[in-house]
Amino acid sequence: MPIESITIENFRCLANAALEADPHYNVIYGDNASGKTSLLEAVAYLGRGKSFRGASTASLIRHGQKEFVLFGRAEAGGHVSGIGVRNSREGLEVRIDGQPGRGAAALAAALPLQIIDPDVHNLVGGGPEQRRRYLDWIAFHVEPGYLDLWRRFRRTLKQRNAALKGGSPMRAMAVWNAEFVVLSAQVDEARQRALAVTADSLEDAGHSLLGSKVRFEYRSGWNLEKGLLASLEEGQERDVMLGSTQHGPQRGDLRLMCDERQARTLVSRGQQKLLACAMILAATDIAQTALKQPLLLLLDDPAAELDADSLGRLTERVVALGAQVVATSLGRETLSLPGSPAVFHVEQGELTRQE
């Protein structure tokens, strides 16, 4: 199973907490502000090195403490690893099996996971950055070497932006343009391959949850007919004025269509949530196939903003996925998960397992 256990020290309202996970289904219930989402956030932090709620490190450390510490045991690639995370004003420290890890990338490889939270609708209705991260997550798991490619691209983009701000002449910019164009094409191709292998699962999950025909189109971030190099050269004056590169994969987006209408503007918030859930479940499905193992799926109050029928369809789809699930809920019986899920109750930051 992806995660066997986690211990938590001084994370938000959780002074000391420990969870021994069921390999299939886990439900954490409690009143609002009891600490259940904080516990889920800690589990997610162990696999991402950041808060899925966008919180700063200072706000994650329990009041009066200098740091928080997380330790878990997780299985990836047939190997059970000890994963340790410590964070304080001095920065993030990651250890995998006692050895220093390379930040968030090491955590993502050791504990691959996805999250459905109450703000998941922003994947559809929000800005393009979230959808780029979504595609890059898939590419990270299905495209060998994508992480290294992405890092080289980001480094080159940073250098080109620095040259723009420094007022480099056209001749000097040509050097950065040449490398930027090559790496941009490789990132673009990898993203398109990632979307291609995910497309059928995306459409199937979208139809299952929404009962509509859904379609996804990737926008590269530049005029394909004109070409990236020509776009960079023609737009250099504007790039210099803004101090940043306006064409390239960093401007890409994923266009979402629902019954041939653009989803982000023409579906309700509840429908946006279901479409975003379909996207997360499809990405999880494809990553599981690529990694040949179940992933960890975190569900933070999945019943929020969904009627009973929609929640039932979402739960059915989650169960069919075969991932390990850790879900939060206001009530113990809110989610209809099969078998005998492990059930935990949280009250004032105290976690207890229920029989």
Side-chain angles (χ1 to χ4, degrees):
M1 57 181 170
I3 189 164
E4 294 183 352
S5 63
I6 181 173
T7 58
I8 303 164
E9 295 180 14
N10 298 323
F11 188 92
R12 289 201 185 267
C13 65
L14 305 169
N16 288 282
L19 184 148
E20 297 288 333
D22 181 86
H24 302 296
Y25 305 110
N26 302 267
V27 176
I28 303 165
Y29 77 97
D31 294 334
N32 288 326
S34 62
K36 60 184 184 296
T37 297
S38 294
L39 200 150
L40 203 71
E41 188 178 16
V43 176
Y45 205 102
L46 199 63
R48 290 194 169 183
K50 62 181 179 181
S51 164
F52 69 78
R53 299 158 81 182
S56 65
T57 299
S59 65
L60 295 177
I61 300 172
R62 189 166 175 263
H63 181 70
Q65 303 299 315
K66 296 181 178 179
E67 62 182 20
F68 67 79
V69 179
L70 310 173
F71 181 80
R73 294 186 61 79
E75 181 178 352
H79 172 71
V80 177
S81 298
I83 309 172
V85 170
R86 182 194 308 271
N87 211 340
S88 65
R89 292 181 179 177
E90 282 68 45
L92 176 68
E93 179 185 351
V94 173
R95 289 190 171 270
I96 309 294
D97 290 332
Q99 300 300 313
R102 195 173 176 182
L107 296 175
L111 182 58
L113 59 85
Q114 271 289 5
I115 305 165
I116 292 175
D117 67 7
D119 292 327
V120 71
H121 61 90
N122 287 327
L123 183 58
V124 174
E129 183 179 356
Q130 294 190 55
R131 292 183 289 277
R132 287 194 295 268
R133 286 201 300 264
Y134 169 80
L135 262 183
D136 289 333
W137 184 89
I138 299 173
F140 172 76
H141 289 293
V142 305
E143 285 282 316
Y146 186 74
L147 177 61
D148 180 63
L149 169 62
W150 177 245
R151 284 173 171 163
R152 287 187 287 125
F153 166 75
R154 292 297 300 179
R155 184 168 58 248
T156 301
L157 174 62
K158 183 177 180 180
Q159 291 167 333
R160 187 180 192 274
N161 286 343
L164 291 168
K165 293 175 183 177
S168 295
M170 191 73 169
R171 184 179 301 174
M173 290 303 304
V175 176
W176 296 119
N177 288 349
E179 184 176 3
F180 183 79
V181 166
V182 170
L183 293 173
S184 294
Q186 293 174 1
V187 168
D188 185 70
E189 290 165 4
R191 282 179 174 175
Q192 295 202 50
R193 287 194 299 269
L195 180 59
V197 300
T198 315
D200 288 347
S201 186
L202 279 167
E203 293 176 6
D204 183 58
H207 186 269
S208 176
L209 294 183
L210 284 162
S212 301
K213 180 181 178 181
V214 297
R215 184 166 54 86
F216 302 83
E217 300 174 357
Y218 176 62
R219 302 296 181 86
S220 297
W222 67 88
N223 187 319
L224 295 179
E225 292 184 3
K226 183 178 296 183
L228 180 54
L229 181 58
S231 297
L232 292 172
E233 291 174 346
E234 289 184 15
Q236 185 164 312
E237 185 175 334
R238 183 166 183 260
D239 285 359
V240 170
M241 182 179 65
L242 297 174
S244 62
T245 304
Q246 300 303 303
H247 301 279
Q250 78 284 358
R251 307 287 292 182
D253 197 0
L254 189 61
R255 190 167 183 247
L256 317 176
M257 307 297 291
C258 183
D259 286 336
E260 297 306 318
R261 288 186 269 185
Q262 193 164 354
R264 61 179 300 188
T265 58
L266 294 176
V267 297
S268 69
R269 181 156 158 161
Q271 288 174 311
Q272 286 183 349
K273 178 171 181 175
L274 287 174
L275 181 54
C277 287
M279 293 171 67
I280 296 298
L281 297 180
T284 304
D285 180 32
I286 294 304
Q288 288 186 152
T289 300
L291 298 174
K292 299 179 181 179
Q293 67 175 60
L295 265 65
L296 174 60
L297 180 63
L298 305 179
L299 307 177
D300 187 18
D301 193 14
E305 298 182 338
L306 294 181
D307 57 35
D309 181 60
S310 296
L311 180 61
R313 282 183 276 126
L314 175 59
T315 304
E316 182 179 345
R317 191 79 192 189
V318 167
V319 169
L321 190 63
Q324 183 187 31
V325 175
V326 180
T328 65
S329 174
L330 283 172
R332 178 171 180 161
E333 305 300 332
T334 302
L335 300 177
S336 300
L337 295 171
S340 301
V343 179
F344 305 85
H345 181 243
V346 182
E347 185 175 2
Q348 296 183 346
E350 296 291 329
L351 177 70
T352 56
R353 182 158 183 165
Q354 309 288 289
E355 299 299 330

